[in-house]
Amino acid sequence: MDSHIEKNANYISYEERISSEKYTKRFYERLSYNWAIFPLTVAISFVALYRVSTWTGLYDMVVQQGVLWTTDCTVIAIVHAPFLLSQLPPYSILWGLCLPMRPFAQADSTKKRVFRELKVCLVTKGTNVQTVLNSVKPWRFCKQSSSVSFHVILDSCEDRFKAKLPRFVNIVKVPASFQPDHAKYKGRALEWCRQLWKLSDQDWVLHLDEETEIDEYLVNACLNFIERGTEQVGMSGFLTTAEVFRVAEDFGRFQLPLRLFKRPLLGWMHGSFILINGAVENTVTWDTDCLAEDFWFAFQAARRGFKFGWIHAIAREQPPISVHDLIQQRRRWYTGIMSIDSWLVKSALVIPMMGPLVYACL
């Protein structure tokens, strides 16, 4: 294929596809040795920090020989306590990174259940047309099974996609007349689809935001989760182009409780790249006025005893590109989570915010 051909909005080259697949596979081949890599790097970091502190004389200035506890120790403990509590549990990122991940174990196991259809569902307001087109690009390489279908859910009366999207992509318009009891915005669109599709326990939905890109490796990982797993809800981390702290948090606050207890920490679940069984959607529904509908859904599903699992695959997304967009995004998250009727949820959200405030005041 001529590499000089101008790419249109729905074109992705074979080389780009293979590069993405190889990157993901190599990433998880290395991550399979995480149980050895991360403890070693942590040990090296502590040794290096100790060497630097002794070389500069800082260690002798701070540490009093023969004294187990000082006033300075108390001050430091108080300052660091909110930071430790904010990880819920303390050092959860470290434990999550050191827990053997075995990313290929599920693919090598036997099939345990059958399914009828996997619906890849992208929800959009219809305003960021080019962003949606970019996210849909790789879908044509993900059609390896007739049981996988692709849908763009349009939460708007105006349709700007009909002539631009590939023919295999189904456009679902949420009618303006549809008014559920509680749900608004994205939750309203998801609730319309749930009722429209009449999902069963053999149906699965992969929920995506408009800026999330997937590939063939990810779809295969979802199919392995469906056919070879036992959990009803699956999620994974993002390889983002910014916000690196969220990537680290994926292995702690998100992955660790799922791997250990088959349920999220309270309701912490990504709003994109969520693989959900139809029976779970019908039981919990999306009919909520909570602005953080993903957190609310995970919180309610966990309370009902549904099992959550971790999918070893990468979804690529574009985070907010301006400070204003970032503030608006966090404001929606915090407002939505704080509206949930649980003092434990509210405390878990407020405590992590205390750490930066304490540091800022010092």
Side-chain angles (χ1 to χ4, degrees):
M1 183 177 293
D2 187 355
S3 60
H4 296 287
I5 295 177
E6 184 178 358
K7 300 176 183 179
N8 58 45
N10 296 317
Y11 178 82
I12 181 172
S13 69
Y14 177 80
E15 289 76 13
E16 288 176 311
R17 170 205 175 192
I18 296 301
S19 176
S20 174
E21 300 292 323
K22 286 184 176 179
Y23 174 86
T24 302
K25 187 175 182 180
R26 287 199 302 265
F27 174 79
Y28 280 109
E29 285 174 348
R30 290 169 174 78
L31 202 60
S32 62
Y33 297 99
N34 73 294
W35 54 272
I37 296 173
F38 289 109
L40 181 62
T41 55
V42 169
I44 293 174
S45 299
F46 274 100
V47 171
L49 182 63
Y50 173 75
R51 292 295 186 185
V52 171
S53 65
T54 55
W55 177 69
T56 58
L58 182 62
Y59 180 86
D60 295 327
M61 293 173 55
V62 176
V63 178
Q64 299 180 25
Q65 300 296 330
V67 180
L68 298 179
W69 197 266
T70 65
T71 303
D72 291 341
C73 292
T74 304
V75 173
I76 292 175
I78 293 174
V79 171
H80 281 272
F83 171 74
L84 296 178
L85 291 174
S86 70
Q87 295 193 37
L88 297 171
Y91 300 117
S92 63
I93 293 176
L94 176 60
W95 302 136
L97 287 170
C98 295
L99 182 71
M101 295 182 185
R102 303 175 62 223
F104 305 110
Q106 193 170 66
D108 297 333
S109 63
T110 59
K111 294 184 179 181
K112 301 179 178 67
R113 56 190 175 194
V114 297
F115 79 103
R116 182 174 63 181
E117 185 179 11
L118 167 62
K119 295 179 180 293
V120 178
C121 170
L122 184 151
V123 179
T124 178
K125 292 181 180 179
T127 54
N128 300 322
V129 177
Q130 190 58 51
T131 300
V132 174
L133 295 178
N134 291 338
S135 297
V136 170
K137 281 181 186 180
W139 286 8
R140 68 188 184 96
F141 292 114
C142 302
K143 301 184 296 177
Q144 65 269 49
S145 172
S146 59
S147 299
V148 181
S149 60
F150 299 86
H151 309 264
V152 170
I153 315 305
L154 189 59
D155 187 18
S156 171
C157 297
E158 185 177 357
D159 184 358
R160 304 180 183 180
F161 298 97
K162 188 173 182 179
K164 299 179 180 180
L165 291 175
R167 285 181 294 178
F168 69 86
V169 177
N170 303 298
I171 300 177
V172 180
K173 299 180 183 179
V174 182
S177 59
F178 177 65
Q179 298 296 330
D181 294 335
H182 305 287
K184 298 179 180 179
Y185 312 118
K186 183 180 178 181
R188 170 178 168 270
L190 294 175
E191 180 63 12
W192 165 256
C193 291
R194 183 191 69 83
Q195 297 183 22
L196 175 69
W197 288 334
K198 300 185 181 343
L199 302 171
S200 72
D201 59 357
Q202 293 187 346
D203 296 312
W204 293 76
V205 182
L206 177 61
H207 294 281
L208 304 173
D209 284 341
E210 59 185 14
E211 67 275 2
T212 305
E213 295 184 11
I214 63 175
D215 56 23
E216 185 178 359
Y217 187 100
L218 182 148
V219 175
N220 283 326
C222 290
L223 295 178
N224 286 330
F225 183 90
I226 293 171
E227 296 183 295
R228 305 173 193 273
T230 58
E231 300 86 5
Q232 294 92 13
V233 182
M235 66 177 180
S236 181
F238 296 116
L239 181 65
T240 58
T241 56
E243 299 187 281
V244 177
F245 75 93
R246 287 184 62 194
V247 179
E249 200 174 46
D250 285 338
F251 295 99
R253 180 182 294 182
F254 290 90
Q255 181 207 204
L256 188 64
L258 264 62
R259 296 280 306 281
L260 295 180
F261 309 113
K262 303 296 183 182
R263 60 183 297 164
L265 177 64
L266 298 178
W268 265 281
M269 180 175 75
H270 285 300
S272 184
F273 191 8
I274 317 169
L275 180 63
I276 306 177
N277 180 261
V280 182
E281 295 219 3
N282 291 334
T283 302
V284 179
T285 79
W286 293 98
D287 193 11
T288 174
D289 55 1
C290 178
L291 295 178
E293 71 286 330
D294 52 339
F295 190 104
W296 178 90
F297 187 97
F299 183 69
Q300 299 298 331
R303 291 178 64 180
R304 287 166 170 78
F306 290 111
K307 293 181 180 179
F308 289 66
W310 190 256
I311 303 175
H312 289 286
I314 294 175
R316 296 165 174 84
E317 70 163 6
Q318 173 65 51
I321 59 177
S322 68
V323 175
H324 178 266
D325 291 341
L326 181 68
I327 293 175
Q328 290 296 105
Q329 181 192 63
R330 290 335 192 242
R331 177 177 175 272
R332 179 176 62 82
W333 289 356
Y334 296 148
T335 302
I337 295 175
M338 288 298 289
S339 68
I340 294 177
D341 187 18
S342 169
W343 66 268
L344 188 59
V345 170
K346 291 180 172 63
S347 300
L349 181 64
V350 172
I351 290 175
M353 299 173 64
M354 293 171 59
L357 291 176
V358 172
Y359 283 111
C361 294
L362 294 179

